[in-house]
C-alpha cells in the first residue's frame, strides 16, 4: 500500500459556521479521521492496536491555512508519516480544495502507549518504517508554549458529546472549546493563520475544566486548559491574520 | 427527479461516543444534511431560497430508534415529503443500517419564512406538490409538550461552534445541549427510544440559555430551554428504554 494516503470529505450543510465555512474544530476532526483511515488501512489503526491493548495518543498539532473549505466543497486530505522516533511518529497533512489548490498544511505528533500501564511503546521494528516517506510540508514544527499564568478565565464541564470511547475529552473537542473562547467579531475581522496545540493530560467525563485565555497581541493568543487539580491539560497558541482572507472561491 | 431521496453517510472515527456508536446529535445532523441535499437537488434548498430572501425553519422532530449506527458503518437515509400544508411541509425519514435493516424513523415539520419579515410563506402552488409522496413511517407524530415548570436547571452560553450562518443556535446543537444534560451512566444503562423536539424561538450568539430538566420517571424526561428574557426557546421529550439494545451488529 502506498505510503501517502488520500482521503476525501465533503463539507455538509450543518458543518459550516456563520461565515458559511467549515468550522475550524470540524476541519481538525476531518484531519484526525483521515489519520484514522490511513493507519487502519495499513494495519496499525486504533482498532488493530486495541486488540493488543495498545492505543495511539495525539501529542501535538500545528496547522496553517490560507483558505477555509466552504459549504458543499469536496476537500482532499493527503496524510503520511514523515518520521519515526523511538516513541513518536511524525504525521503530516496537506489540505487541498476543490479547485485543486493547496489551502493548508498540518503537522502532528503521536505516541503509541500500552492501554493499561499508559506507558509509551517503542515504535521501532514494528513495520511502520516501510511507510515513512519524505514529502514537502512547508510549515514550522509546533514550538514550545509557555503558560503566561495571566489572562481571563472561564470554565466548562466535560459532557457526553465531548468524550471518546475512553471517556476522555475527544482531541477535536479540545479544539472546539478553545475556538469557542473567541467572539464571532474576531472571526469576521481576522482568520486563524496558524494554530498549535500540545496535549498534556486527559480530561475526564464530568470534570470541570478552566480555560485561561491570554491576549499577547491582537493577532496572538495563548489558551491553557487546566484540570480540577490545577495541572495543565493542554496548551494552545493561535496566530490570527491582520485581515480576512480574500477567498472568493465558489464551487459553482 | 424521484420524490424519495437516498443519502449515505459513513460514521467516522471521531464521531462516536464512549460506547463506539454515532452520537445522537450527529445522527440528527446527518438527517438534516440529508434533508438539505434532498431539497437542494429538487430546487427548493436553503441556497435557492436565500436568493429570494426566503429560508426554511425547522419546527419539530420526532425520532425513534431500534439500534444506533456504529463506527465505520455506512448508513442510508431515505427522506421524502409526506404532506404539504399551507405553511408547513411534513418531511419523513427512514434510517437503514449497513445490514440493510431499518434501524429508525423520523418525522419533521418545516416552515418556509421570509428572511426579512420572518413571516410564514404560503407553500401551495410553488411546485412542491409534485414531490409529495406516501411511504410508510410507522411512528407517532410529535405531540404537544407541556412545560412542567419544575426540575433542575443549568446554563450554557451560545458560542462560535454552536451557530449557523444566521448566527442562531444550529438545530442540531439544540439537540447536543439537550443530550449533554445526561450522564454517561444513563447511556450505559438505557437507550433513547424516542426523542421529540419543538423549536419555538431562536437562540442568538452570546446568549445565556437556561436548560431545565424534569424527570417524570426513569424513562421519561422533559427538557426545556429558556432564553434570557424567560421565553421558551424549545421543548423536548425523551423516552428511554428499560434496558440497552441487544445490538451485537458488527460491520466486519
Amino acid at each position: 500500500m502506498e505510503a501517502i494516503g488520500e482521503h476525501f470529505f465533503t463539507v455538509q450543510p450543518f458543518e459550516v459556521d456563520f461565515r458559511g465555512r467549515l468550522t475550524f474544530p470540524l476541519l481538525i476532526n476531518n484531519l484526525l479521521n483521515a489519520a484514522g483511515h490511513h493507519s487502519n488501512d495499513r494495519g496499525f489503526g486504533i482498532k488493530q492496536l486495541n486488540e493488543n491493548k495498545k492505543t495511539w495518543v495525539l501529542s501535538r498539532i500545528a496547522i496553517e491555512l490560507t483558505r477555509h473549505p466552504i459549504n458543499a466543497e469536496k476537500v482532499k486530505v493527503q496524510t503520511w508519516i514523515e518520521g519515526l522516533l523511538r516513541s513518536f511518529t511524525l504525521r503530516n497533512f496537506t489540505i487541498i480544495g476543490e479547485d485543486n489548490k493547496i489551502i493548508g498544511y498540518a503537522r502532528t505528533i503521536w505516541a503509541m502507549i500500552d492501554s493499561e500501564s499508559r506507558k509509551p511503546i517503542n515504535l521501532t521494528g514494528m513495520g511502520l518504517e516501510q511507510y515513512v516517506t519524505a514529502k514537502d510540508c512547508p510549515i514550522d514544527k509546533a514550538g514550545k508554549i509557555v503558560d503566561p499564568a495571566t489572562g481571563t478565565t472561564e470554565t466548562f464541564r466535560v459532557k457526553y458529546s465531548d468524550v471518546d470511547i475512553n471517556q476522555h475529552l475527544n482531541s477535536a473537542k479540545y479544539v472546539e472549546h478553545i475556538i469557542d473562547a473567541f467572539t464571532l467579531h474576531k472571526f469576521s475581522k481576522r482568520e486563524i493563520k496558524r494554530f498549535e496545540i500540545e496535549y498534556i493530560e486527559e480530561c475526564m467525563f464530568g470534570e470541570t475544566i478552566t480555560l485561561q485565555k491570554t491576549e499577547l497581541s491582537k493577532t496572538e493568543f495563548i489558551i491553557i486548559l487546566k484540570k480540577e487539580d490545577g495541572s495543565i491539560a493542554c496548551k494552545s497558541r493561535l496566530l490570527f491574520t491582520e485581515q480576512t482572507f480574500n477567498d472568493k472561491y465558489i464551487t459553482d
Side-chain angles (χ1 to χ4, degrees), chain A:
Chain A
M1 185 160 280
E2 288 187 19
I4 300 172
E6 290 197 343
H7 304 274
F8 294 85
F9 67 90
T10 301
V11 180
Q12 299 296 313
F14 279 79
E15 296 180 342
V16 298
D17 68 8
F18 71 103
R19 305 173 303 176
R21 297 173 184 167
L22 178 64
T23 74
F24 190 80
L26 290 180
L27 175 62
I28 299 291
N29 222 15
N30 279 301
L31 298 187
L32 299 181
N33 285 333
H37 292 303
H38 178 271
S39 56
N40 274 322
D41 293 348
R42 286 158 186 78
F44 55 94
I46 293 253
K47 198 170 168 184
Q48 293 108 327
L49 260 58
N50 285 353
E51 288 166 8
N52 297 306
K53 301 200 185 305
K54 296 172 190 161
T55 194
W56 285 113
V57 173
L58 179 57
S59 172
R60 288 177 184 224
I61 305 175
I63 177 170
E64 294 193 13
L65 295 175
T66 52
R67 179 171 78 71
H68 294 273
I70 62 171
N71 188 21
E73 185 169 359
K74 187 174 181 186
V75 179
K76 180 161 80 176
V77 176
Q78 294 176 322
T79 182
W80 68 97
I81 298 177
E82 182 196 42
L84 187 65
L85 307 176
R86 186 183 163 88
S87 303
F88 293 102
T89 58
L90 311 178
R91 173 185 286 284
N92 297 347
F93 300 84
T94 310
I95 307 159
I96 299 162
E98 194 164 319
D99 54 359
N100 219 23
K101 289 181 182 159
I102 293 173
I103 61 175
Y105 293 97
R107 292 177 173 276
T108 58
I109 300 177
W110 302 73
M112 193 187 289
I113 63 166
D114 182 294
S115 313
E116 286 170 2
S117 71
R118 312 300 287 175
K119 285 189 178 152
I121 288 167
N122 184 344
L123 292 168
T124 53
M126 295 180 68
L128 296 179
E129 289 83 354
Q130 64 182 304
Y131 297 112
V132 174
T133 192
K135 177 173 158 61
D136 204 29
C137 189
I139 65 167
D140 287 343
K141 290 181 180 163
K144 190 169 169 55
I145 300 170
V146 177
D147 177 6
T150 59
T152 58
T153 62
E154 56 182 299
T155 61
F156 66 89
R157 198 160 49 83
V158 180
K159 296 179 175 175
Y160 163 80
S161 54
D162 283 322
V163 301
D164 61 21
I165 199 146
N166 298 309
Q167 306 192 10
H168 300 144
L169 185 60
N170 165 328
S171 304
K173 283 284 188 171
Y174 281 81
V175 179
E176 186 175 307
H177 288 291
I178 289 167
I179 300 300
D180 278 350
F182 294 91
T183 63
L184 299 194
H185 181 73
K186 191 77 186 174
F187 295 109
S188 66
K189 294 290 181 189
R190 301 178 191 278
E191 311 278 354
I192 296 171
K193 185 166 72 175
R194 180 176 168 90
F195 174 88
E196 289 178 26
I197 183 168
E198 182 184 346
Y199 296 96
I200 299 166
E201 280 199 50
E202 284 147 348
C203 301
M204 309 299 291
F205 175 81
E207 202 172 353
T208 298
I209 305 300
T210 301
L211 183 150
Q212 170 195 300
K213 180 169 86 164
T214 311
E215 182 173 339
L216 300 181
S217 74
K218 288 285 174 212
T219 58
E220 185 175 2
F221 289 79
I222 304 290
I223 290 189
I224 309 280
L225 302 193
K226 289 185 182 170
K227 289 165 62 74
E228 286 176 356
D229 66 4
S231 62
I232 292 178
C234 82
K235 299 190 282 190
S236 177
R237 177 190 290 124
L238 294 95
L239 297 178
F240 287 87
T241 57
E242 291 288 346
Q243 293 182 303
T244 53
F245 293 147
N246 182 22
D247 57 345
K248 297 296 178 204
Y249 176 70
I250 303 289
T251 49
D252 57 7

